[in-house]
Amino acid sequence: MKEQILDRFLRYVKTYTPSDENGTGTPSTRYQFDLADMLAGEMTQIGVSDAYVDRNCYVYGNIPATEGYENVPAIAFIAHLDTVSDFCDKPAVPVIHENYDGEDIYLPAGDRTIRTSDFPHLKEMKGRTLITTDGTTVLGADDKAGIAEIMTMADEIIKSGMPHGKICLAFTPDEEIGSGAHLLDLERLGADFGFTADGDIEGGIEYETFNAAAARVTVTGVNVHPGSAKDIMVNAGLIACEFAGMLPEKEQPRNTSGYEGFFHLTGMSGEVAKAELTYIIRDHDRGKFEERKAKLFEVAEALNRKYGAGTVKVDEKDSYYNMSEILKDRMDIVETALQAVKMEGMEPRVNPVRGGTDGSALSFRGLPCPNLATGGEGYHGPYEHISLEGMELSTKVMINIIKLYADGR
C-alpha cells in the first residue's frame, strides 16, 4: 500500500493546480483540469466505471455496493484538487527524506529549515519517510495527500473484494478560495453522508470549524497640496491605519488559539485619496461571529462621524459556517470515525478546526461531512511536510470506516 500511496502522491504534487481568488468562474484556474482529468483516467483504470469530470472541474465516481449490502449507507470521500496560490508560482519539487532522523530539516533550494522547535511533532516522526519540497514552493499535501489516500483506498477496496456499501468519490476545485463545495452535484454524488480528507496529523477527526466571513474596507479621502491642506485634506491612508488600530489588538491570529476567534488583516493598499483594507473574520461561536462583523461597521460609523459621512465603507460577505451546528445531530458518524482510528492503534485527535473545509458548506447543504486527517503539517507554506506512514494510516482509517458500516448492516 505504501508504494501505491507514494507513487500517486508524488505524481499529484508535481501537477500544478493553484486556485486564484481573483479568478472568474469555476474553476478559478484551468490548471485544475489537468489533475481532474488525470484522476478520472486513473479511476477508470482501477475499476470505477462511471468516472466523470464535469464542466466546472468536479470529479465524480462510484463503487457500487457489494451484492447484499445495498442497504448499507452510501459514504462519500471527498478531497480538493487545488492548492493555495502562495508559494506556488511553479510546480512543486518533492524531496524524500528516508529514515528521517528527527532533527531539523534543511530544504536544499530555498535556504529554509523546518525546525523541530517550530514543529515539535517532528520528533515523533523519527524513522519515518518524510516528504517536503526543496523549499521554494508549497508541497501541495493540502490536499493531494487526501486525493492519494482516497484513490488508494478505492483501489484496495476493489482489488480485495471486501464487502461494502456504496462508496462515492468526489474531487472538488477551488476549496482554498472558499467555493469548492458550492457546485458539487449532491444528486450525482449519491451519498447519505461523507468525509472530507483534508486534515493534519494522522488520527485527527474534526467536526467543528470556524464561522467565516471576508470584509473589504474602503476609505475615500480628499487630496490637496499639503502646503494648503489645513482643514481640507482627508488622508485615506492614515484613516485606514486608524481603522485597523480600533480593532481589538489581542484578537489577531498570532494571539489566539483553540476556540478563540480573530480579525485578520490580509491586505492593505492606499494613498491620500483612497485606501483599502481586506480582512477575514473567524469565530467558532455564531453569536460572537456576528458581534465581530458588527464591530467592523461600528468602527466605520465612528470614523464617518469624525471625518464625514461616506469616508469609510465596509463590504462583508459570509464564507462558511461551523459545521458542528449540523453534525451535533449526527455524532454517530463522528463516533464511527473515532472507532476507525482506534482500530489502527491510534488515540484519536479531536480538535476544533481553526479554518474550514468543504465539509462546512456540504454539511449545510444537507450532506453531513466531518473531516479526516491526512498525515501532514505546516500547510500553506514552504515548510509543509508529510510522512508516508501517516498517509498509510489515514488510508487505513477510511477502509476501517467502510468496514464498520458494512459489518453493521
Side-chain angles (χ1 to χ4, degrees):
M1 183 185 293
K2 279 185 182 179
E3 291 78 10
Q4 294 180 39
I5 296 171
L6 181 61
D7 174 70
R8 289 186 169 104
F9 180 69
L10 294 179
R11 285 189 288 107
Y12 301 161
V13 298
K14 291 176 185 176
T15 307
Y16 186 62
T17 60
S19 50
D20 181 0
E21 64 181 7
N22 296 313
T24 58
T26 303
S28 62
T29 59
R30 304 299 296 179
Y31 306 118
Q32 296 175 71
F33 273 111
D34 294 339
L35 182 55
D37 291 337
M38 180 192 299
L39 292 172
E42 291 183 16
M43 290 163 73
T44 299
Q45 290 175 5
I46 67 173
V48 180
S49 60
D50 64 346
Y52 172 77
V53 182
D54 73 10
R55 63 187 180 88
N56 295 117
C57 202
Y58 290 78
V59 186
Y60 302 86
N62 289 290
I63 304 173
T66 305
E67 185 177 351
Y69 288 75
E70 293 84 359
N71 292 330
V72 172
I75 309 172
F77 292 90
I78 302 162
H80 63 88
L81 302 164
D82 63 319
T83 66
V84 292
S85 56
D86 296 336
F87 290 98
C88 196
D89 59 348
K90 59 185 178 181
V93 178
V95 178
I96 300 174
H97 308 262
E98 293 185 352
N99 195 24
Y100 167 58
D101 63 7
E103 301 300 324
D104 292 351
I105 304 168
Y106 176 69
L107 304 178
D111 195 26
R112 293 185 170 94
T113 300
I114 304 177
R115 302 189 186 281
T116 58
S117 57
D118 295 327
F119 300 97
H121 69 272
L122 282 171
K123 293 291 186 181
E124 303 173 19
M125 304 290 111
K126 185 176 181 179
R128 291 190 176 191
T129 297
L130 211 65
I131 307 166
T132 68
T133 66
D134 62 359
T136 60
T137 68
V138 295
L139 177 59
D142 179 11
D143 187 25
K144 290 165 183 173
I147 297 174
E149 291 159 12
I150 291 172
M151 289 293 292
T152 302
M153 172 274 290
D155 196 4
E156 290 288 320
I157 290 291
I158 292 170
K159 285 179 178 177
S160 70
M162 184 186 93
H164 57 81
K166 181 183 177 184
I167 301 169
C168 311
L169 311 177
F171 304 112
T172 64
D174 291 342
E175 189 271 353
E176 296 292 1
I177 60 173
S179 57
H182 299 333
L183 295 179
L184 183 65
D185 186 337
L186 297 185
E187 185 175 349
R188 174 181 284 275
L189 183 66
D192 296 310
F193 56 84
F195 295 91
T196 52
D198 188 18
D200 296 330
I201 297 298
E202 66 272 6
I205 306 294
E206 299 161 335
Y207 62 92
E208 299 175 278
T209 60
F210 274 139
N211 297 288
R216 187 177 302 274
V217 180
T218 305
V219 184
T220 302
V222 177
N223 191 5
V224 297
H225 191 284
S228 56
K230 183 173 173 58
D231 298 328
I232 300 174
M233 178 181 284
V234 178
N235 192 319
L238 289 175
I239 296 172
C241 293
E242 191 174 351
F243 184 101
M246 292 172 71
L247 295 176
E249 181 180 355
K250 292 184 177 180
E251 297 179 17
Q252 301 174 16
R254 66 168 291 141
N255 300 322
T256 59
S257 62
Y259 287 97
E260 296 170 328
F262 55 72
F263 301 92
H264 180 34
L265 177 63
T266 58
M268 61 187 304
S269 62
E271 51 189 7
V272 174
K274 186 174 182 179
E276 189 173 270
L277 305 170
T278 54
Y279 283 91
I280 61 172
I281 302 97
R282 301 288 189 266
D283 211 297
H284 288 92
D285 181 273
R286 180 70 81 98
K288 292 179 180 178
F289 174 63
E290 298 297 334
E291 291 172 4
R292 288 188 185 282
K293 293 188 295 180
K295 179 68 175 178
L296 297 178
F297 290 94
E298 291 170 11
V299 171
E301 185 178 349
L303 291 173
N304 283 332
R305 288 196 299 267
K306 182 176 180 180
Y307 294 106
T311 301
V312 181
K313 179 185 177 185
V314 176
D315 294 299
E316 177 273 323
K317 183 178 180 181
D318 288 0
S319 304
Y320 56 83
Y321 302 112
N322 188 344
M323 61 184 176
S324 70
E325 291 186 30
I326 305 300
L327 291 174
K328 63 181 174 57
D329 297 322
R330 289 303 314 268
M331 289 301 290
D332 57 298
I333 302 172
V334 176
E335 291 297 333
T336 301
L338 295 175
Q339 186 178 349
V341 170
K342 292 176 181 177
M343 288 168 66
E344 292 305 315
M346 296 183 287
E347 185 61 32
R349 306 168 190 252
V350 181
N351 295 301
V353 183
R354 290 185 59 78
T357 72
D358 277 343
S360 300
L362 291 172
S363 293
F364 279 90
R365 287 186 60 199
L367 184 76
C369 202
N371 188 48
L372 303 174
T374 56
E377 258 290 1
Y379 295 150
H380 292 199
Y383 304 103
E384 188 180 358
H385 53 275
I386 196 165
S387 78
L388 178 56
E389 291 79 4
M391 287 192 282
E392 182 183 34
L393 285 166
S394 297
T395 304
K396 288 180 177 179
V397 167
M398 296 181 197
I399 294 172
N400 290 343
I401 289 171
I402 295 166
K403 178 176 173 55
L404 286 167
Y405 277 102
D407 289 348
R409 65 189 173 112

